[in-house]
Amino acid sequence: MPRISEFFGIVISMYYGDHHPPHFHARYGEHEAVVAMGTPMVLHGKLPARGLRLVMEWAALHRTELVSNWENARLGRPLRPIPPLD
C-alpha cells in the first residue's frame, strides 16, 4: 500500500485497484480508518479524536491531489506524495 503522506504520526496510504467510493487509508498508532474523499467522512474503522480532526483538515486541503492519486491508482500509475499538514 503506497504511502502518500505522513504527519503528526499519521500515515496516509492508498491501494492500487481499490474499491469504490474513492477513499484513502489513515493509520494513527494502532488505529486505522478508511476515509471517503468526496466529502471527507469515515467509511470504516476509527481514529482518536485528535487524529481524526487532523486527517479531515488535511483531506479538505488536498482534495484535488487525492482525486488525482485515486485516478492514478486505478490506472496503475505511480502515486504522487502529498504535502503533510503543517
Side-chain angles (χ1 to χ4, degrees), residues 2-82:
R3 179 180 296 194
I4 57 174
S5 193
E6 186 172 350
F7 50 91
F8 303 114
I10 299 166
V11 176
I12 307 292
S13 305
M14 269 187 198
Y15 286 109
Y16 283 96
D18 213 348
H19 58 86
H20 278 279
H23 64 276
F24 60 89
H25 298 255
R27 281 184 291 126
Y28 186 50
E30 68 275 3
H31 305 280
E32 184 171 354
V34 176
V35 181
M37 295 186 311
T39 301
M41 63 181 276
V42 175
L43 298 173
H44 303 286
K46 189 174 182 180
L47 295 173
R50 178 181 184 274
L52 180 59
R53 192 170 50 253
L54 293 169
V55 167
M56 293 305 183
E57 180 181 345
W58 176 85
L61 291 170
H62 297 288
R63 183 168 183 249
T64 302
E65 295 104 314
L66 285 165
V67 170
S68 177
N69 267 343
W70 178 262
E71 288 304 314
N72 285 340
R74 293 190 42 82
L75 297 171
R77 296 180 185 151
L79 303 184
R80 295 193 169 119
I82 298 176

